Amino acid sequence: MNTGSLDWRDWLVLSVTLLFIVSYGVYKTRKENNGVKDYIKGGNDTKWWTIGLSVMATQASAITFLSTPGQAFHDGMGFVQFYFGLPIAMVIICLVFIPMYYKLNVYTAYEYLETRFDLKTRSLTAILFLIQRGLAAGITIYAPAIILSYVLGWDLITLNIIIGLVVIFYTVSGGTKAVNVTQKQQMIVIFTGMLTAFFLIMKYMPDGITFGKALDIAGASDKMKVLDFSFDLSNRYTVWTGFLGGTFLMLSYFGTDQSQVQRYLSGKSLRESQLGLLFNGLLKVPMQFFILLTGVMVFVFYQFNASPLNFNPKANEAVISSAYYDEYKELERKHVDIENQKRTLLLDGVQDNERSLIYDLNTKDRALKVQAKKIIDRVAIDSDEKIQSNDKDYVFIHFILNNLPKGIIGLLLAVILAAAMSSTASELNALASTTTIDVYKRNIQQGRDEAHYVKASKWLTFGWGLLAILIACVANLFDNLIQLVNIIGSVFYGNVLGIFLLAFFFKKVKGNAVFYAAVVTQLLIFLIYYFGIYRLEDQGLEPIISYLWLNFVGSIFVIYFALMYTFKSNNLKIKVILTLTTLVLFTVIYDVIYTKLTITHVLSLMVLFILLGVFSKERKSLINGSND
Amino acid sequence: MSEKKQRWRKIYTVVLVANLVYIILFYLITQTFDY
């Protein structure tokens, strides 16, 4: 592994690229930001393509480019299904969310909730966002920094501080507009870097291995399964989880998370904002497919070139100095033997009579890798060190550092750092805006002049940036912090989405109903997580539900409780549907505990809630006055 | 709040149909190489 210092050409490309992006952002926004509208909504003059690229850059963090190719390397193309719900969510947001935000001329998504419900619901939702996103911002810096520090030998703390300070510098200085214009450049660097890497991988294939033959090799190695139609929802990536879970997740992320909402609220007009999101809806799925395909091509590349048994350099170092070295060495010997056999077989492509042999060799190799991971886990326990045995984050960076030419390595590192910076910038920008508008301006200091709030927003961007750096620096001290932050996201997101769905689609539901429903839901979700997931996993048992489904559960619960509160004394038809919903909900809970969540559960719940939405709209006479 | 109903635009259909075409294409391409 190339753990030494980078070549001067790489340093040159890396520093020039990043310096250009930052300077461009600061230069383009040097004369603006006279008022809150300029600073928080970028002066409302952003064009659709900038919004589209900005939305994509916000979602694509460094981990997207480090981890996704590694995911495809190990598990094939199935992960693309996770994004199938995204275009549907984009259309719903364009039809429902954006027009409402524009109509009320809001600065943050949560501001809308006060107009629709009340101040306490707005403040509660804003606080849920601040907790979740505040922690996530630190991880957005830490996750790529830890990987780069392992593979390049860079100091983790220094890297955290540099990434954080650079982002703070241009985000404080130029606000939303600086975030948007830098993200446009960052996406250009990302596209250029990924396309270059893909073409170089193809160029490095042995003579006679064309793109078609490479795909054939990937297919024979079980890497080309894109669609999985199985109905088992515990299987994380299927067509159904993509369309159902994916739509929910993307709706909550793009429709209610201020780090995304702020991107499209900076649009020149309603139409520009909508087009920006649709641009994302049009490009995201093929982009993810392309990133995964790059990972699959890295897999094919390593069918002809030596690869380590585990790509995490820290894991290999730890095993070498452990009591398990001989056992590990034996696994490595077998792995090299399999690699040699596959190389000989595949040099002329895949012949029909060789398919079962290739399949067997891959199965044996996978088993060796599983054994290697077990050894690494044992070494980690014995040495009381944190060593990641899952090496998917290290596959692509290993390929980059060991195979790409000087200068291009710098470009790919720029891709990773640009992605880290773009996501962090949106997060800091959104955290500061929400704190300024929803907390400070609304609850603490009303009636001050524009300059005061711009100044407050700048200081808050700086403060959230420092907190993110601090979290990134201490993240290494905690076990599984990255996963914890993802879990925190799922624990809060569903509730927040449910509140917004109630706001948009259940016209008769009022503030008190939503607020109390949200509080009860949050408590229940904490309990489900603690007793149904955390405690069971801690005892080595299967959780009753994957934490990713907490999004869906949270949304359903908050809508259900709010409807129960609202329609508690109304007519027969709505009571029948509510009773049916309650029965189905209990059946689902029972089934989830004793068997598994299935597609039928999800669909029946969705149909019942749609019926409730329809009835609550049509039967205006159902409600006598306000339920608030 | 009395909001104006948002019209369905052709571009929404374009985005959804385009994604459906992507999925079918991905499926066909990968199916050719999946054994």
Side-chain angles (χ1 to χ4, degrees):
Chain A
M1 187 64 136
N2 182 2
T3 51
S5 56
L6 285 180
D7 186 83
W8 66 269
R9 282 159 287 190
D10 295 320
W11 277 116
L12 186 72
V13 174
L14 176 63
S15 4
V16 168
T17 311
L18 296 183
L19 260 175
F20 170 76
I21 293 172
V22 174
S23 320
Y24 180 81
V26 175
Y27 173 77
K28 284 292 264 186
T29 53
R30 69 197 183 284
K31 284 181 190 157
E32 294 170 36
N33 305 323
N34 299 320
V36 177
K37 187 177 165 190
D38 282 338
Y39 195 75
I40 292 182
K41 289 171 104 178
N44 271 129
D45 64 357
T46 315
K47 301 263 187 2
W48 65 267
W49 59 86
T50 307
I51 295 171
L53 290 173
S54 188
V55 162
M56 290 176 91
T58 299
Q59 191 185 24
S61 68
I63 282 297
T64 308
F65 299 98
L66 285 167
S67 212
T68 313
Q71 173 115 15
F73 180 94
H74 288 306
D75 302 323
M77 307 283 296
F79 181 56
V80 75
Q81 296 169 110
F82 183 68
Y83 292 90
F84 284 177
L86 185 140
I88 303 169
M90 294 301 103
V91 170
I92 297 174
I93 294 168
C94 285
L95 267 172
V96 184
F97 289 55
I98 307 184
M100 193 58 83
Y101 292 151
Y102 262 85
K103 182 180 152 62
L104 300 172
N105 195 24
V106 294
Y107 283 86
T108 71
Y110 319 110
E111 204 180 340
Y112 158 70
L113 293 176
E114 184 174 358
T115 320
R116 174 66 182 84
F117 298 126
D118 53 23
L119 175 62
K120 62 180 182 299
T121 309
R122 169 186 179 176
S123 304
L124 173 74
T125 319
I127 287 165
L128 291 180
F129 166 74
L130 291 175
I131 297 170
Q132 190 265 328
R133 197 44 72 188
L135 282 167
I139 300 305
T140 312
I141 299 174
Y142 167 76
I146 183 87
I147 295 164
L148 293 180
S149 76
Y150 281 171
V151 294
L152 289 161
W154 292 349
D155 181 59
L156 174 64
I157 303 287
T158 314
L159 195 53
N160 282 332
I161 293 172
I162 290 174
I163 298 174
L165 286 182
V166 170
V167 175
I168 290 175
F169 174 60
Y170 69 80
T171 312
V172 169
S173 125
T176 297
K177 189 157 196 177
V179 175
N180 288 351
V181 294
T182 47
Q183 281 175 331
K184 198 160 65 174
Q185 313 301 323
Q186 282 155 344
M187 279 312 284
I188 293 169
V189 172
I190 287 169
F191 281 136
T192 313
M194 291 307 287
L195 281 170
T196 311
F198 185 84
F199 286 111
L200 286 174
I201 298 167
M202 293 317 300
K203 189 171 166 263
Y204 295 156
M205 295 289 181
D207 288 342
I209 300 295
T210 58
F211 183 52
K213 280 189 178 170
L215 289 176
D216 210 19
I217 292 168
S221 310
D222 212 17
K223 304 290 174 197
M224 295 302 283
K225 273 197 173 56
V226 168
L227 304 184
D228 178 351
F229 289 97
S230 66
F231 284 105
D232 181 4
L233 293 188
S234 62
N235 193 353
R236 199 176 280 182
Y237 308 121
T238 66
V239 170
W240 316 114
T241 50
F243 276 117
L244 289 173
T247 306
F248 263 84
L249 193 68
M250 301 303 170
L251 258 186
S252 53
Y253 177 54
F254 287 99
T256 73
D257 189 308
Q258 180 63 16
S259 59
Q260 283 294 1
V261 174
Q262 194 153 1
R263 311 277 69 77
Y264 53 78
L265 284 188
S266 66
K268 206 172 182 177
S269 65
L270 170 70
R271 195 170 164 72
E272 296 282 333
S273 298
Q274 289 170 321
L275 283 176
L277 270 193
L278 293 172
F279 178 70
N280 181 42
L282 208 57
L283 282 193
K284 188 72 189 182
V285 172
M287 183 181 124
Q288 285 303 130
F289 184 84
F290 172 71
I291 297 172
L292 286 164
L293 192 62
T294 307
V296 169
M297 288 302 118
V298 170
F299 172 83
V300 178
F301 171 85
Y302 279 121
Q303 303 307 295
F304 303 103
N305 297 275
S307 67
L309 194 52
N310 190 291
F311 282 86
N312 180 354
K314 200 185 172 194
N316 285 315
E317 277 168 31
V319 172
I320 288 170
S321 53
S322 76
Y324 302 97
Y325 179 61
D326 289 339
E327 199 183 332
Y328 195 80
K329 198 79 192 152
E330 179 57 20
L331 292 179
E332 275 188 330
R333 196 195 56 72
K334 287 179 183 166
H335 167 67
V336 171
D337 189 39
I338 290 175
E339 276 192 332
N340 290 336
Q341 289 183 58
K342 282 202 284 183
R343 200 169 300 142
T344 317
L345 273 174
L346 295 172
L347 265 175
D348 54 348
V350 182
Q351 310 304 318
D352 280 341
N353 59 343
E354 294 168 351
R355 290 189 193 283
S356 62
L357 186 54
I358 293 166
Y359 184 82
D360 287 346
L361 287 171
N362 279 317
T363 311
K364 279 182 194 161
D365 202 33
R366 256 199 299 272
L368 289 177
K369 287 181 175 175
V370 171
Q371 279 178 272
K373 278 183 189 173
K374 282 182 184 160
I375 292 180
I376 294 164
D377 288 336
R378 285 208 297 267
V379 172
I381 293 167
D382 289 356
S383 61
D384 205 22
E385 260 191 278
K386 272 197 298 228
I387 307 165
Q388 214 184 345
S389 60
N390 185 349
D391 62 346
K392 74 175 162 69
D393 294 346
Y394 297 90
V395 173
F396 193 47
I397 191 81
H398 177 97
F399 169 79
I400 292 170
L401 294 175
N402 291 284
N403 298 287
L404 295 187
K406 307 289 177 209
I408 301 295
I409 295 177
L411 177 67
L412 266 294
L413 289 175
V415 167
I416 293 160
L417 291 176
M421 285 160 53
S422 64
S423 305
T424 311
S426 285
E427 288 172 329
L428 298 187
N429 187 223
L431 285 164
S433 306
T434 306
T435 321
T436 308
I437 301 294
D438 297 299
V439 180
Y440 183 69
K441 190 179 175 192
R442 183 65 186 88
N443 289 297
I444 301 169
Q445 278 278 8
Q446 288 188 14
R448 300 293 294 265
D449 59 16
E450 293 267 306
H452 176 82
Y453 294 120
V454 171
K455 202 172 163 187
S457 196
K458 288 189 175 192
W459 276 109
L460 284 163
T461 310
F462 183 70
W464 279 111
L466 287 188
L467 184 69
I469 295 175
L470 189 72
I471 292 171
C473 289
V474 299
N476 213 19
L477 303 174
F478 301 95
D479 282 333
N480 299 324
L481 194 78
I482 296 177
Q483 197 185 359
L484 181 72
V485 170
N486 287 334
I487 291 166
I488 290 172
S490 294
V491 164
F492 289 138
Y493 258 161
N495 200 357
V496 173
L497 176 64
I499 294 171
F500 276 89
L501 291 179
L502 281 164
F504 288 121
F505 299 109
F506 296 84
K507 301 294 174 197
K508 296 297 159 194
V509 177
K510 304 286 185 220
N512 275 349
V514 177
F515 182 79
Y516 296 126
V519 172
V520 171
T521 299
Q522 206 52 69
L523 288 173
L524 276 174
I525 294 288
F526 280 137
L527 290 175
I528 292 174
Y529 172 68
Y530 185 74
F531 290 106
I533 300 175
Y534 177 77
R535 285 270 295 260
L536 293 177
E537 281 183 342
D538 204 36
Q539 293 162 20
L541 300 168
E542 276 280 299
I544 57 167
I545 188 173
S546 158
Y547 73 84
L548 290 172
W549 280 99
L550 290 179
N551 272 310
F552 177 75
V553 176
S555 303
I556 291 291
F557 274 11
V558 74
I559 295 172
Y560 174 74
F561 291 132
L563 290 174
M564 287 289 274
Y565 186 99
T566 306
F567 299 124
K568 58 183 183 278
S569 60
N570 281 300
N571 94 341
L572 191 64
K573 197 176 248 171
I574 209 119
K575 271 184 178 167
V576 170
I577 302 173
L578 260 182
T579 315
L580 266 176
T581 314
T582 312
L583 283 173
V584 173
L585 207 57
F586 277 114
T587 316
V588 171
I589 292 168
Y590 180 86
D591 283 357
V592 165
I593 292 170
Y594 292 102
T595 53
K596 270 203 162 78
L597 185 69
T598 68
I599 197 78
T600 326
H601 295 130
V602 177
L603 284 176
S604 48
L605 277 173
M606 284 175 81
V607 168
L608 283 165
F609 278 104
I610 289 168
L611 278 178
L612 278 169
V614 170
F615 278 108
S616 69
K617 243 188 218 174
E618 283 178 356
R619 301 293 301 268
K620 287 184 181 169
S621 58
L622 287 175
I623 318 292
N624 301 319
S626 167
N627 289 73
D628 220 30
Chain B
M1 269 181 299
S2 64
E3 66 272 16
K4 210 172 74 183
K5 265 241 164 9
Q6 278 293 311
R7 268 185 317 113
W8 181 269
R9 291 206 180 121
K10 260 189 205 158
I11 193 156
Y12 301 151
T13 315
V14 171
V15 170
L16 295 177
V17 170
N19 275 280
L20 198 66
V21 172
Y22 296 151
I23 293 169
I24 294 168
L25 272 178
F26 297 157
Y27 181 69
L28 291 176
I29 295 168
T30 52
Q31 194 70 0
T32 316
F33 297 98
D34 185 28
Y35 300 94

